[in-house]
Amino acid sequence: MTAATARHQRALDIMSLERVTNARTYHHLRTNSGRYLRPHKIIRTGRLWQATPHDMQQLTALGVGAVVDFRQPDEAAKAPDVPLAGAARVAAPMVVGDLKGEAHALRTYIQHHDDAPEHIRLGYEAMVADPTMQASMREFLVTATATPGAVMFHCSAGKDRTGMAAALLLGALGVPRSLITRDYLYSNVEHEPNINQALVEFQQLGATHQMLTDMRAVTGVRVDYLDTALDWVDAHYGNVRNYVGELLGNGEAGLAALDRAFLVDDNH
């Protein structure tokens, strides 16, 4: 194992929760400026509707001050979060393309179309380009900056909307792109059992090899999805930090406030 790989493993603190999936935070994470993220200040997860008392105890112990929910209102109504004591709840609804996430709907679409992954890729671009979703991302970033304790954020699976939000926040703080990508792709590890189950069920229904390939592409995450969004940001704003600064407002003062909230000079 290289020293860089070891640092990456330490930086991604995978949380062992019982029913909250795809949960992790960060520590010992050095940014490009030489400063470090405050330990456990950023927490990303899947939805909280099945959280057990043990899960909530673990999250409460991290001092969560706000929970940002990227789900659409109908998603949140069907599976309401278990309330986290002492944490404000903030709705910042986003979508990733126009494909329905339910297994039956995905199978039906893929059986009759060959562009499902392209829908997701374009959905990622829309997450950073569409004014309505920029407003939701602004709500997240402003909340994250202003929250005294840790900020926790999630969608349903914690991979697409949550992954995009994490990439923008970490990128604005100077986290290396390689680590951002590694963090993003870890959702495939967390969701591997669900992805495999979806593929087995689809295969039993007679799916072709290409259909199975497309199903894996839409139930997991891919580097080209993330790159599509970040390339758009770079093309229109120069870099992620400029983009986040524009969303936060207040020019350099907004970014300075973000840095004060999340960065420290050492990793102790």
Side-chain angles (χ1 to χ4, degrees), residues 131-185:
T132 299
M133 286 193 273
Q134 286 180 347
S136 287
M137 194 62 73
R138 178 183 299 110
E139 185 71 22
F140 161 63
L141 292 166
V142 169
T143 299
T145 302
T147 298
V151 61
M152 178 177 170
F153 51 101
H154 73 90
C155 48
S156 289
K159 64 184 181 71
D160 295 307
R161 292 166 287 187
T162 299
M164 192 71 253
L168 292 174
L169 178 56
L170 295 175
L173 292 168
V175 173
R177 177 75 169 263
S178 60
L179 181 54
I180 291 171
T181 301
R182 184 186 182 92
D183 176 43
Y184 171 77
L185 290 176

Side-chain angles (χ1 to χ4, degrees), residues 11-28:
L12 300 184
D13 189 358
I14 311 305
M15 301 180 67
S16 298
L17 302 179
E18 294 174 337
R19 299 299 297 275
V20 177
T21 61
N22 210 8
R24 52 195 177 276
T25 181
Y26 311 91
H27 65 140
H28 300 302

Side-chain angles (χ1 to χ4, degrees), residues 26-73:
Y26 311 91
H27 65 140
H28 300 302
L29 201 164
R30 190 174 188 270
T31 67
N32 291 324
S33 69
R35 304 184 73 193
Y36 294 83
L37 286 190
R38 294 184 187 275
H40 311 304
K41 170 77 172 173
I42 302 169
I43 306 166
R44 56 173 293 180
T45 74
R47 59 189 176 188
L48 298 177
W49 72 284
Q50 290 183 312
T52 65
H54 170 269
D55 294 341
M56 302 309 284
Q57 182 181 34
Q58 295 299 307
L59 293 168
T60 300
L62 293 176
V64 177
V67 177
V68 179
D69 188 346
F70 292 119
R71 296 177 299 168
Q72 289 292 302

Side-chain angles (χ1 to χ4, degrees), residues 121-253:
R121 192 183 66 78
L122 293 176
Y124 267 76
E125 181 175 304
M127 278 197 285
V128 293
D130 180 86
T132 299
M133 286 193 273
Q134 286 180 347
S136 287
M137 194 62 73
R138 178 183 299 110
E139 185 71 22
F140 161 63
L141 292 166
V142 169
T143 299
T145 302
T147 298
V151 61
M152 178 177 170
F153 51 101
H154 73 90
C155 48
S156 289
K159 64 184 181 71
D160 295 307
R161 292 166 287 187
T162 299
M164 192 71 253
L168 292 174
L169 178 56
L170 295 175
L173 292 168
V175 173
R177 177 75 169 263
S178 60
L179 181 54
I180 291 171
T181 301
R182 184 186 182 92
D183 176 43
Y184 171 77
L185 290 176
Y186 190 78
S187 289
N188 285 335
V189 177
E190 287 282 310
H191 286 293
E192 187 67 18
N194 295 332
I195 294 171
N196 287 338
Q197 182 63 30
L199 294 177
V200 167
E201 293 174 357
F202 203 11
Q203 188 172 36
Q204 290 172 344
L205 293 172
T208 66
H209 176 74
Q210 186 58 53
M211 290 177 185
L212 293 173
T213 299
D214 287 352
M215 178 62 83
R216 176 173 284 279
V218 300
T219 52
V221 293
R222 303 195 322 193
V223 172
D224 61 301
Y225 297 160
L226 181 64
D227 285 348
T228 293
L230 297 183
D231 287 349
W232 186 94
V233 167
D234 289 345
H236 290 81
Y237 291 86
N239 56 54
V240 169
R241 187 168 173 86
N242 290 343
Y243 176 78
V244 168
E246 185 72 19
L247 292 185
L248 282 171
N250 298 323
E252 286 299 320

